[in-house]
Amino acid sequence: MADITLISGSTLGSAEYVAEHLEEKLQEAGFSTQMLHGPELDEIPQEGVWLIVSSTHGAGELPDNLLPFYEAIVEQQPDLSGVRFGAVGIGNREYDLFCGAIKTLDDLLQARGATRIGERLEIDVLEHEIPEDPAEQWVATWKTQI
């Protein structure tokens, strides 16, 4: 099993790029990883460390490729007390529900018993033209808390 399971949800690909960059940085630090873009819940180990990277689209909504994952958790109500996770959101502060998707996922995982590692990172694409940059700074601290 991978030390860290990276889960990305993206509409236009930015969250996938950030997740792939973070995977590279984690591998350089000696972690083994598994990358899943828009996975089904049953593809993901129900324990261990997850790193979720999600963009937000529309009015704070989840990307389409993460909806099945989210809906499965809501419907199945799995016990995720064996999961520790990191959360990275990408959004635009001009919208009322800035980084709404990652906030929704963060709340749901914690409600199902998962424990967030460190602070949630919320990247504003208007402030950071290259979202990989703040994500790389964040993961340098996050990985020490695992």
Side-chain angles (χ1 to χ4, degrees), residues 68-81:
F69 169 73
Y70 173 82
E71 290 170 349
I73 294 173
V74 170
E75 291 169 13
Q76 297 173 23
Q77 300 280 313
D79 175 6
L80 298 178
S81 60

Side-chain angles (χ1 to χ4, degrees), residues 1 45-50 78-85 109 112-115:
M1 182 170 70
Q46 304 287 303
E47 60 185 20
V49 178
W50 297 356
D79 175 6
L80 298 178
S81 60
V83 173
R84 296 173 32 219
F85 71 98
L109 294 177
R112 298 303 321 136
T115 303

Side-chain angles (χ1 to χ4, degrees), residues 22-75:
L22 295 178
E23 179 181 39
E24 180 182 311
K25 294 301 168 189
L26 290 165
Q27 288 174 347
E28 287 173 5
F31 292 95
S32 65
T33 61
Q34 177 184 18
M35 174 67 69
L36 300 169
H37 298 298
E40 299 288 330
L41 180 59
D42 62 5
E43 295 177 73
I44 305 168
Q46 304 287 303
E47 60 185 20
V49 178
W50 297 356
L51 177 51
I52 302 176
V53 181
S54 180
S55 61
T56 297
H57 77 98
E61 297 163 10
L62 291 160
D64 288 343
N65 69 339
L66 270 186
L67 275 176
F69 169 73
Y70 173 82
E71 290 170 349
I73 294 173
V74 170
E75 291 169 13

Side-chain angles (χ1 to χ4, degrees), residues 8-21 35 37-38 53-57 63-65 90 125 131-132:
S8 75
S10 191
T11 301
L12 301 175
S14 60
E16 286 183 18
Y17 300 139
V18 169
E20 289 167 357
H21 184 71
M35 174 67 69
H37 298 298
V53 181
S54 180
S55 61
T56 297
H57 77 98
D64 288 343
N65 69 339
I90 301 169
V125 294
E132 290 87 341

